[in-house]
Amino acid sequence: MLTPLRAVPAPAADSLTLPHNLDAEAALLGAMMIDNRLAEDVQLKLRPEHFFEPVHGEIYAAILKLVDRAMLATPVTLRPLFAEHPALAELGGPAYLAQLTEQSAALIAAKDFAAQIYDLALLRELVRVGREMVVSAADTSQDVNPHDQIQQAELALYKVAEEGEVSNSVKSFAQSATLAVQMAERAKQSGGHLSGITTGLNALNTKIGGLHRSDLIILAGRPAMGKTALATNIAFSAAERLMKDRADQIDKTSGAGVAFFSLEMSADQLATRILAEQARISSEDLRMGKINQAQFRDLVRASAALQDLPLYIDDTPGLTIAAMRSRARRLKRQKGVGLIVVDYLQLLQGSSRQANDNRVNEISEITRGLKTLAKELNVPVIALSQLSRAVEQREDKRPQLADLRESGTIEQDADIVLFVYRDEYYHAQKKPEDGTEKFEKWMERGITIRGRAEVIVAKQRHGSTGIVDLHFEAIHTRFSDLADDAHLPERDYE
C-alpha cells in the first residue's frame, strides 16, 4: 500500500485519535487518476471535506473539476494546478501526484476505499459533535436550558445521520409505485407528426415534432398552471411507449426511458399522480383515502401493469448541477434513458463559488450545464422553470419570454420554450356579484373555457411558435388533446 510522503508537522495530540486512513485516501486518488470513470461512482457521496489530509481533498476536488469539464485528470494535467502549492510542496511537490498512481492494484478496491474514507469522515464528525455535547453539558450557568441542549444535540446527530444518504435516491418506477399503493392502502384503512420522442399529446407532437435529442426544453408557468402535471404526463407517455414497443418487439420506437429528477416532490407522490390518472381515480381522493374497494383494485391493477415502466425517479433535494449531471450519465449508461426531466430548474444549485455569489450567474451556470448534458448524452432535457410575478400585474396574463424568472441565459440556452397557461384559473378569481348581468357573462365564459389549457410555444429553434390547445383535467392532473374531449365548446378568447 502506498504511504504518502509526509513532511508536514505532526497533528495536535487530540487529533491523533481521530479516525483516518491516509493510505486509503492516497490509493483512491491514484485510482481516479488512472481511470477517470471512477469519479462518476465515488462523487455521489464523497466530497473533498471528507478527506482527512487537506491536500488530498484539494486533489480530489481538482480531479472532479477536470472530469466535469470532460478533460482528462492525470498527474500531467493536474500538475499546473499544484505547481506552487505550499502544502503539496511539503509532501514532495507535483511529483507526489505521479507517486499516487504507482499502485495500479488500487483500481480493484477503489469503491471500497471511497466507502471507508466516507465512513471515517462520519466518525470524525461524530467525535466533533460528541465533544461539543460534552462542553455544552458541562456549562452549568443559569442561562443554560438542558432541554434546549438535548434538542440541539438531537439535531446535530440527525444531520450526521442524514449526511450522504443518496445511495437509494434513484428508485425504479416499480419501487415508487409500490410506495404509492402502500400509502393509498394506509389512507383507505384509516377512512401525427412525430420525428422525436413522443409527448403523448398529438397536438403538441404536431407543433414541435416531438422531443428531439440534444435539445433543452424549458417548460415554464406560474404556480397552479400544471407544469409538473404536464411534465409527468410527457414522461409517462414516453416511458409507456417504450415499454409497449419493447413488448411488441418494435425496434424503432418513439418512446424512451426517462430519468425524472424531482427536487420538489417525492418519488411516491409522483407515482401516485401517474397511478391515479391510469386508474381514473381522483388524486385528492387517493391521498385522503376516499376510495372504495373497486377503486383500490383498479389502483393495484394499474400498478401491476406498470411494473416494467422504464421511469426512474431521483427525489434527492438540493442537488448541484454537477451531481445531477453525474447521476444522469450513470442512468444513461446503466439504464439507457433517453429523456431527462428536471423539476424544477430553480431548485438546482450551482457548483462554482462565484455562481453562488450571484443568483443570475448561478441560473446561467445551471442552464448551460443542462444544455451541455443534453448534447453530451444526446437526449432531450426538459427543465421546469418558475415565472416572475410580473405576469400577475398585466391584464393579459399569458406569459412571455421576458417573464422567465432569474432568466440569465435560460432563453438563450433553450432550444424550445413552452409556457403552460390556463385562463380558467384566473377567470375564477374575477367572479362578479351574483345575479348581475356581468355575472351571467362571467358564467357563460366560464363554460367556454372550462377545462381549457394552452401550451404556448414561445421559442422553437426547429420550427414556428404558436399556441397548442389542450384539455386539462384538474381532478386527475391530466392533460389530453382537445380533440379527445368533443364535449368542450369551441375556442373563444374574446
Side-chain angles (χ1 to χ4, degrees), residues 305-326:
L306 300 176
Q307 287 295 303
D308 296 326
L309 190 72
L311 175 56
Y312 308 97
I313 303 170
D314 186 331
D315 57 3
T316 307
L319 277 177
T320 65
I321 181 62
M324 197 221 77
R325 288 171 60 184
S326 177

Side-chain angles (χ1 to χ4, degrees), residues 115-289:
Q116 186 182 71
I117 294 169
Y118 172 78
D119 290 343
L120 291 172
L122 281 188
L123 291 176
R124 291 196 297 273
E125 184 65 11
L126 277 175
V127 171
R128 183 193 65 78
V129 171
R131 286 175 175 172
E132 290 183 356
M133 289 170 60
V134 170
V135 172
S136 178
D139 186 354
T140 58
S141 62
Q142 293 181 354
D143 295 334
V144 174
N145 188 330
H147 295 289
D148 289 343
Q149 290 187 357
I150 293 173
Q151 292 177 359
Q152 292 172 5
E154 288 177 343
L155 178 61
L157 288 172
Y158 175 74
K159 289 181 178 179
V160 175
E162 71 174 358
E163 172 73 20
E165 286 296 326
V166 299
S167 58
N168 295 322
S169 295
V170 179
K171 305 173 181 68
S172 70
F173 187 80
Q175 293 170 316
S176 303
T178 299
L179 290 174
V181 171
Q182 290 173 350
M183 181 277 300
E185 184 177 17
R186 288 194 301 269
K188 176 178 177 296
Q189 289 175 347
S190 66
H193 301 278
L194 187 63
S195 59
I197 296 171
T198 183
T199 65
L201 299 164
N202 291 329
L204 188 57
N205 283 340
T206 300
K207 185 64 180 176
I208 66 174
L211 307 173
H212 297 87
R213 301 187 186 280
S214 80
D215 273 4
L216 172 60
I217 301 104
I218 299 296
L219 177 56
R222 289 292 294 157
M225 289 294 106
K227 298 186 299 297
T228 300
L230 180 56
T232 304
N233 290 172
I234 292 173
F236 172 78
S237 298
E240 184 187 38
R241 174 63 67 86
L242 178 62
M243 181 179 68
K244 290 181 176 179
D245 287 349
R246 281 175 175 173
D248 296 336
Q249 297 182 341
I250 298 175
D251 294 331
K252 295 183 178 180
T253 177
S254 58
V258 181
F260 200 116
F261 291 90
S262 178
L263 287 81
E264 189 173 34
M265 298 176 62
S266 66
D268 55 298
Q269 287 175 324
L270 279 174
T272 298
R273 281 193 172 203
I274 294 174
L275 290 176
E277 192 235 310
Q278 293 304 301
R280 306 300 296 173
I281 302 171
S282 164
S283 298
E284 182 178 355
D285 288 346
L286 190 59
R287 288 193 301 270
M288 301 295 291

Side-chain angles (χ1 to χ4, degrees), residues 10-32:
D14 60 344
S15 66
L16 290 174
T17 61
L18 292 177
H20 65 277
N21 188 339
L22 295 177
D23 289 338
E25 294 180 4
L28 174 64
L29 295 175
M32 290 177 65

